Amino acid sequence: MKFPMARTCPYQPPPEYAVLREAGPITKAQLFDGRMVWVVTGHAEARQLFSDARLSVDRSNPDYPRLAHSPVDPAAMKAVQTFVDMDEPEHATHRRMVVGSFTVRRTRALRPAIDADVEKLVTRLLVLGPPVDLFAELAVPLSAKVFARLFGVPAREAGRFHDLMRLAAERMTSGKALYQIQESFDRRITELAEGRAELADDLLSTLVAGPLKDGELTQKQLLNMCMTLLVSGHENTFNLIGLSTLTLLEHSEHRLVLRKDPTAAVEELLRYLSIADTVPRLAIAEIEIAGERIQPGDGVILPVAAANRDAGAFPDPDRLDLGRPARHHLAFGHGVHQCLGQHLVREVLEATVIGLFGRLPRLRLAVPMTEIPVRGAIGVQGISALPVSW
Amino acid sequence: MGVSANREVCVGAGQCVLAAPEVFDQDDDGLVVVTAPDHPDDAAVRDAVHLCPAGAISHA
Ligand code: SF4
């Protein structure tokens, strides 16, 4: 069986995961290049492996498992490395430079602004009138607004930044729009560092006033860190908003639960959708787990969507149950690399579902479900259009 | 001894703050602070211990 496989239904894991699960919590599958890797479908095993330092996240290692063909230039990859592909102890040093900007308190303080963003965008939907593409008119622009604020994009550049974020969302792999964003961040960092722009409490300012000034990061490293956060943050945010909305449209009987306990609903959506599904790791020492022996040099894939549908951790796992306790899901991973932006994405998703369904209770799909374009096997899962009416 | 957290291994994921807001907070650097070390070992604290991705929290 070739791994990864594409979803057939955008909010269900690929049907082949059931076959993998049959073979045990840890089994083997083949990557596109013929390489055999471990695939972990058990929740307990995935949780344990996510926090095992014997699994490396260093993508610049030539032995690191690749899910698709991509040229590997270890030196070039090392040069742009950020904490997401660093092992300890470098990882902790770098991650700690930014965690202060993503605390529960800091992200909660952003909520009123996010609510206002949602309100503005929903008002705009009403002006446009049905049918509209919620992906293009809500998911992507909302993510753009959130990240403009996080990175302190000046008001005069906001229009251009939004256009570039829209282009980036259309083709996450095409680097042109991202390159232009990177250039504007680079200019901004220089302005802030040279005192030509005023420092505020956005992420660029924080990194310039701290690690850059103290010589802990070069400007290049700072820029790479910001681009990593922007790219993965944006991609995960718009995909999660799009797919969550679709899922709720297809399960309209749940709307009441959504209103009663939106916080629990958000956790269940995160579990159920598991959009950052296929996480690769490289074993750098022997690991014994579930009766198997993972050898150094082995590739290990953690398909989060499989772990999050393990009946041992979530009874009746394929049922969307917005009221269930789901906090122990692995949608954000586990261990020291657990998603940095998780509280921000929780706030954005909660604000979206409350704001959207609150104002448009009769929201429905404008096309049959089968016509919704599903993203491919590689990368963050989601849809690329969502035509709706009300 | 009560609730304790190891700031050396904390990665600032904030799971503890979500699980037991009366017991944990994050400082400006994002790292865990125990605000109520004498808190009884209730479900919220056990959740925090279990959910902390870095294994930074203990209760003894
Ligand atoms: S959950 Fe663990 S890693 Fe996260 S802030 Fe609390 S102690 Fe630190």
Side-chain angles (χ1 to χ4, degrees):
Chain A
M1 193 183 303
K2 282 269 198 257
F3 192 92
M5 36 309 250
R7 295 185 178 191
T8 46
C9 166
Y11 52 78
Q12 301 293 5
E16 292 89 342
Y17 280 15
V19 182
L20 290 169
R21 194 189 303 285
E22 283 287 297
I26 296 187
T27 182
K28 287 215 156 180
Q30 194 177 40
L31 299 182
F32 78 99
D33 54 2
R35 176 173 177 181
M36 295 302 290
V37 289
W38 297 99
V39 176
V40 184
T41 58
H43 178 272
E45 291 77 10
R47 185 178 188 279
Q48 189 182 329
L49 287 171
F50 261 124
S51 29
D52 195 320
R54 290 170 294 183
L55 288 184
S56 165
V57 299
D58 181 3
R59 274 187 301 152
S60 71
N61 189 319
D63 289 338
Y64 190 81
R66 323 267 156 200
L67 299 184
H69 185 74
S70 60
V72 179
D73 177 348
M77 288 171 97
K78 263 271 185 282
V80 296
Q81 210 174 29
T82 63
F83 63 89
V84 298
D85 36 31
M86 284 175 184
D87 294 324
E88 300 307 344
E90 289 84 6
H91 162 264
T93 310
H94 283 242
R95 177 172 168 128
R96 281 175 177 213
M97 295 173 187
V98 281
V99 287
S101 299
F102 293 91
T103 61
V104 173
R105 196 167 346 131
R106 284 285 291 271
T107 44
R108 278 204 182 131
L110 294 174
R111 182 60 182 273
I114 300 170
D115 283 335
D117 290 340
V118 173
E119 198 182 321
K120 256 192 235 144
L121 288 167
V122 175
T123 301
R124 189 154 175 275
L125 296 179
L126 292 168
V127 174
L128 290 171
V132 297
D133 177 4
L134 264 193
F135 182 76
E137 303 297 342
L138 180 69
V140 175
L142 179 58
S143 178
K145 279 176 190 287
V146 168
F147 288 100
R149 192 173 299 114
L150 187 73
F151 287 99
V153 174
R156 61 173 190 285
E157 288 177 29
R160 180 168 177 266
F161 180 76
H162 283 215
D163 289 343
L164 292 172
M165 290 289 267
R166 186 173 44 74
L167 287 172
E170 279 165 18
R171 267 187 74 86
M172 227 43 220
T173 44
S174 94
K176 212 161 145 224
L178 292 173
Y179 186 72
Q180 285 174 300
I181 294 175
Q182 177 168 325
E183 277 185 334
S184 70
F185 278 10
D186 200 21
R187 274 197 304 276
R188 179 94 187 141
I189 294 165
T190 307
E191 283 171 13
L192 289 166
E194 292 176 352
R196 284 185 285 123
E198 213 171 310
L199 292 166
D201 64 355
D202 60 84
L203 203 50
L204 290 189
S205 296
T206 306
L207 287 167
V208 167
L212 184 69
K213 191 168 141 274
D214 301 340
E216 292 164 6
L217 281 185
T218 63
Q219 180 155 342
K220 185 96 201 21
Q221 285 176 309
L222 191 163
L223 193 58
N224 289 336
M225 196 189 263
C226 289
M227 289 310 290
T228 300
L229 293 172
L230 179 87
V231 171
S232 61
H234 187 38
E235 197 176 15
N236 278 288
T237 304
F238 69 70
N239 278 312
L240 187 65
I241 295 173
L243 202 48
S244 297
T245 310
L246 172 67
T247 306
L248 291 171
L249 288 173
E250 286 289 288
H251 296 81
S252 49
E253 71 280 8
H254 284 295
R255 302 260 173 94
L256 217 77
V257 192
L258 186 68
R259 241 178 302 155
K260 239 177 53 200
D261 190 351
T263 309
V266 161
E267 295 306 321
E268 171 68 347
L269 283 167
L270 289 165
R271 173 193 81 86
Y272 196 71
L273 302 174
S274 299
I275 62 168
D277 185 9
T278 49
V279 184
R281 295 280 195 260
L282 171 67
I284 49 174
E286 189 181 295
I287 304 172
E288 244 191 272
I289 184 166
E292 303 285 359
R293 238 173 236 274
I294 301 173
Q295 300 294 336
D298 283 359
V300 179
I301 314 285
L302 301 159
V304 173
N308 280 342
R309 298 286 184 107
D310 181 341
F314 306 96
D316 199 359
D318 293 325
R319 198 167 63 89
L320 179 74
D321 175 1
L322 295 182
R324 80 161 83 212
R327 272 291 308 282
H328 53 302
H329 66 70
L330 299 174
F332 294 125
H334 197 69
V336 297
H337 288 277
Q338 194 181 56
C339 175
L340 179 70
Q342 54 177 299
H343 303 303
L344 184 57
V345 95
R346 283 185 170 107
E347 295 293 344
V348 176
L349 183 56
E350 194 178 301
T352 307
V353 294
I354 294 176
L356 181 64
F357 289 102
R359 282 190 58 202
L360 298 173
R362 285 144 59 95
L363 199 68
R364 61 181 192 296
L365 278 182
V367 298
M369 171 74 184
T370 45
E371 282 175 29
I372 304 287
V374 184
R375 281 166 194 263
I378 309 289
V380 181
Q381 296 298 304
I383 49 175
S384 49
L386 185 56
V388 293
S389 296
W390 55 85
Chain B
M1 227 184 103
V3 183
S4 61
N6 182 350
R7 286 167 56 92
E8 292 294 306
V9 301
C10 169
V11 293
Q15 299 291 355
C16 52
V17 186
L18 283 193
E22 305 84 46
V23 188
F24 303 99
D25 199 357
Q26 287 166 286
D27 63 12
D28 287 343
D29 294 329
L31 299 186
V32 61
V33 185
V34 182
T35 53
D38 298 327
H39 197 85
D41 182 14
D42 65 2
V45 172
R46 277 196 297 275
D47 271 356
V49 171
H50 181 73
L51 290 172
C52 171
I57 301 169
S58 50
H59 192 285

